[in-house]
Amino acid sequence: MKDHDDHLAVIWASGDPDVAEKVCLMYTHNAHLQHWFQEVRLIVWGPSAKLLTENESLQKQIRDMLNNGLTVEACATCASMYGITDQLRQLGIDVRPMGVPLTSYLKDGWKVLTF
């Protein structure tokens, strides 16, 4: 088992735009930019994925995060259920099944923060 206790996976599951803009994305982006962790990843899961495809301001924030080198992943099953897989991929998000990667993050000692 690898020791990744200085790695952060942020699970963004909330469909609330205030949670996204004023807490989740702001903290995640700053954690990456300020090097608060060796590695930071954002996982778009469930209702947040749908919200993201409907909100241009949040899309801009995600593009900025990606342009700054932050890894953004999204759950393929959730995206498929909402019919938004292509929209998420067009934003530059890695859409894939997330059960196994998240389990690996947890077993490898990543810190996990959920919004």
Side-chain angles (χ1 to χ4, degrees), residues 12-94:
W12 173 31
S14 173
D16 183 332
D18 282 340
V19 170
E21 187 173 342
K22 295 178 177 68
V23 184
C24 179
L25 299 184
M26 181 173 49
Y27 178 80
T28 304
H29 200 184
N30 279 301
H32 172 73
L33 292 173
Q34 303 299 322
H35 307 287
W36 294 338
F37 292 87
Q38 183 179 355
E39 185 171 349
V40 178
R41 292 186 179 200
L42 176 66
I43 302 169
V44 182
W45 202 304
S48 64
K50 184 173 185 298
L51 173 65
L52 180 58
T53 62
E54 298 168 345
N55 187 308
E56 290 183 21
S57 175
L58 297 177
Q59 292 172 19
K60 182 187 179 317
Q61 289 183 53
I62 292 295
R63 281 191 208 94
D64 289 346
M65 294 167 93
L66 289 163
N67 288 336
N68 286 314
L70 194 135
T71 299
V72 181
E73 304 169 304
C75 173
T77 303
C78 299
S80 179
M81 284 191 287
Y82 288 116
I84 57 173
T85 302
D86 291 339
Q87 290 171 280
L88 293 174
R89 287 192 172 131
Q90 288 172 2
L91 288 171
I93 296 172
D94 180 14

